[in-house]
Amino acid sequence: MKLRWGICTAGMIANDFLVGLSTLPREEHTVVAIAEARVVHQAQQLAKRHGIGVVYDIYEDLATDPNVDIVYVAAVNQDHLPLSKLFLNHGKHVLCEKPLALNKDQCTEIIETSREKGVFFMEGWWSRFFPAADKLRHLISDGVIGEVKFLQGAMGVSADFKERLFEKKFGGGILLDNGPYLLNLALMVFGQRPVSCSGKGFLADTGVDETCVITMLFPNKAAASLSLSMTVALPNEVNIQGTKGHIKIPAPFWSPTRLEVTTQSGKGTPYDPKEKTEILEFSLPSSELPQNYPNAVGMRYEGEAVRQCIMRGEKECSLVRHEDSIYVAELTEKLHHDLGYMYDSEEVYQVNKCVGQEVTINNNTV
């Protein structure tokens, strides 16, 4: 089955998703159109780079294109709700970039629309589809490091190059932008929901969250400590500690190509354990096309997983269930409140589907 893709908006992540698709067989994945209603010239450049034949400057044109099976929504955060609903209401399958929406209610509205229309829908948690992530799940379920008791993760970059992250009206803040990576990894590793999740941190002068430290406690007396920052660089790695060993996911943990698995090799002491470490490497396909984010070519795995789901007639993916997306949105909303980040309804920018009103953020829409 060939899946015919439409791309909605033409920012940095849209380019990288296209790079990933370009490494998949053309008889299985093809991109037929791209739509961008604000910075049309950017879409034209992207179409030329990736050999896309049709460029729309009105989103409804993409929604009504009979040659499009599925739309990848790569818009800025506050536009995910109206754009996802637009395509769903026209019977298109949708893969929407994370975060799915600004809060739990918006996420629920999108997912309920997809169910009403009977089409496939998934939030883009691309990290879960990497071969390294699949191996990690097997290592944990097979008990290689025993029972997981602690997870420590940190994700931080200086985000001055992304002006939108500092604006409420653009769905800014570090929790919405990078929080999903750490939260959904912790939920995947522990395989259950926490009994508590709390956050502390600081807001930027604009009122968005710029630093957050999250503590999650799980039923089996396990815990996760997650650190997020958009003001300084952090290690961008994750360490998972079990009763019989530990696993390190080096940077960038969200697009992993390496696992360092340490297990007991003999009788040691609490302060001098006898251990052995095995390095597992997972190579990615090469591409000569420019990429904006590390290991972005790995978005190919997400794209193929979506095709497999649609071929089987599934409306959601077992690795990123609808209820998981809603739950992570609920956690994020709660953490926002912990930090004092509140949305003013009149500030939430609604997508303008008309041509002629450009919104340029560092020359990118994402």
Side-chain angles (χ1 to χ4, degrees):
M1 170 189 167
K2 178 184 284 189
L3 197 58
R4 300 173 299 175
W5 290 87
I7 307 297
C8 179
T9 75
M12 295 167 64
I13 197 69
N15 172 81
D16 288 1
F17 184 72
L18 288 166
V19 172
L21 288 184
S22 72
T23 65
L24 295 168
R26 292 295 179 93
E27 62 271 17
E28 296 177 354
H29 295 268
T30 184
V31 182
V32 299
I34 185 170
E36 174 59 75
R38 293 174 178 147
V39 280
V40 180
H41 67 276
Q42 193 166 297
Q44 293 168 340
Q45 293 170 356
L46 203 59
K48 182 178 180 180
R49 181 185 305 159
H50 293 278
I52 302 171
V54 179
V55 178
Y56 294 120
D57 56 9
I58 299 177
Y59 297 128
E60 286 92 337
D61 289 347
L62 181 62
T64 57
D65 188 331
N67 296 314
V68 172
D69 302 314
I70 182 169
V71 176
Y72 171 61
V73 175
V76 285
N77 298 344
Q78 78 281 358
D79 290 350
H80 289 180
L81 171 64
L83 287 174
S84 291
K85 289 187 66 178
L86 170 67
F87 299 117
L88 292 169
N89 281 322
H90 281 83
K92 303 299 186 187
H93 304 299
V94 171
L95 170 63
C96 181
E97 192 51 62
K98 62 81 197 161
L100 179 49
L102 302 183
N103 54 48
K104 178 185 176 182
D105 288 345
Q106 289 187 2
C107 289
T108 302
E109 185 176 349
I110 293 171
I111 287 169
E112 286 181 349
T113 302
S114 75
R115 290 171 175 168
E116 290 170 3
K117 297 301 177 180
V119 294
F120 176 86
F121 179 83
M122 191 181 86
E123 182 179 5
W125 290 357
W126 61 303
S127 301
R128 288 197 172 186
F129 298 93
F130 275 70
D134 183 60
K135 181 63 175 180
L136 175 64
R137 287 189 291 270
H138 282 91
L139 290 170
I140 292 171
S141 64
D142 291 344
V144 172
I145 61 169
E147 185 180 9
V148 177
K149 287 293 186 179
F150 192 74
L151 182 149
Q152 183 179 43
M155 185 172 185
V157 295
S158 179
D160 291 343
F161 70 100
K162 282 189 174 181
E163 296 173 9
R164 66 173 176 84
L165 289 185
F166 293 89
E167 297 294 335
K168 275 189 179 183
K169 64 182 179 180
F170 293 126
I174 195 62
L175 273 165
L176 280 174
D177 205 59
N178 289 342
Y181 289 119
L182 283 171
L183 288 170
N184 81 59
L185 178 61
L187 293 171
M188 184 185 80
V189 166
F190 288 104
Q192 56 186 332
R193 294 185 177 184
V195 296
S196 69
C197 179
S198 59
K200 293 185 180 296
F202 302 100
L203 302 180
D205 292 341
T206 57
V208 304
D209 53 302
E210 65 177 20
T211 301
C212 185
V213 179
I214 304 167
T215 300
M216 304 175 77
L217 302 179
F218 292 86
N220 60 330
K221 295 184 179 180
S225 178
L226 314 175
S227 303
L228 291 159
S229 175
M230 63 182 192
T231 60
V232 296
L234 295 178
N236 294 327
E237 63 183 30
V238 167
N239 289 280
I240 303 164
Q241 184 69 50
T243 54
K244 297 180 180 179
H246 52 94
I247 299 172
K248 178 179 178 180
I249 312 175
F253 75 85
W254 59 90
S255 52
T257 58
R258 177 185 174 104
L259 298 175
E260 299 175 11
V261 184
T262 301
T263 54
Q264 298 170 356
S265 61
K267 187 175 182 180
T269 68
Y271 299 102
D272 185 23
K274 300 297 181 182
E275 298 178 330
K276 62 178 180 180
T277 299
E278 181 181 6
I279 307 298
L280 305 179
E281 302 277 2
F282 305 85
S283 61
L284 300 177
S286 60
S287 175
E288 296 181 357
L289 294 168
Q291 300 169 54
N292 297 296
Y293 298 105
N295 300 333
V297 69
M299 299 187 86
R300 73 193 302 270
Y301 302 113
E302 174 185 60
E304 175 57 17
V306 167
R307 190 180 77 92
Q308 292 293 329
C309 287
I310 293 173
M311 285 178 61
R312 293 191 294 265
E314 298 169 357
K315 308 307 179 187
E316 63 181 307
C317 178
S318 60
L319 278 182
V320 187
R321 299 175 302 172
H322 292 166
E323 63 182 84
D324 298 331
S325 291
I326 293 173
Y327 182 63
V328 168
E330 181 180 348
L331 288 181
T332 302
E333 193 170 358
K334 193 269 182 187
L335 292 166
H336 270 162
H337 293 166
D338 288 350
L339 270 64
Y341 182 152
M342 304 290 179
Y343 279 111
D344 298 323
S345 58
E346 67 272 14
E347 283 188 293
V348 178
Y349 179 84
Q350 294 298 323
V351 62
N352 186 329
K353 303 187 186 110
C354 302
V355 183
Q357 182 173 344
E358 284 196 357
V359 178
T360 304
I361 308 169
N362 281 354
N363 297 319
N364 285 292
T365 54
V366 172

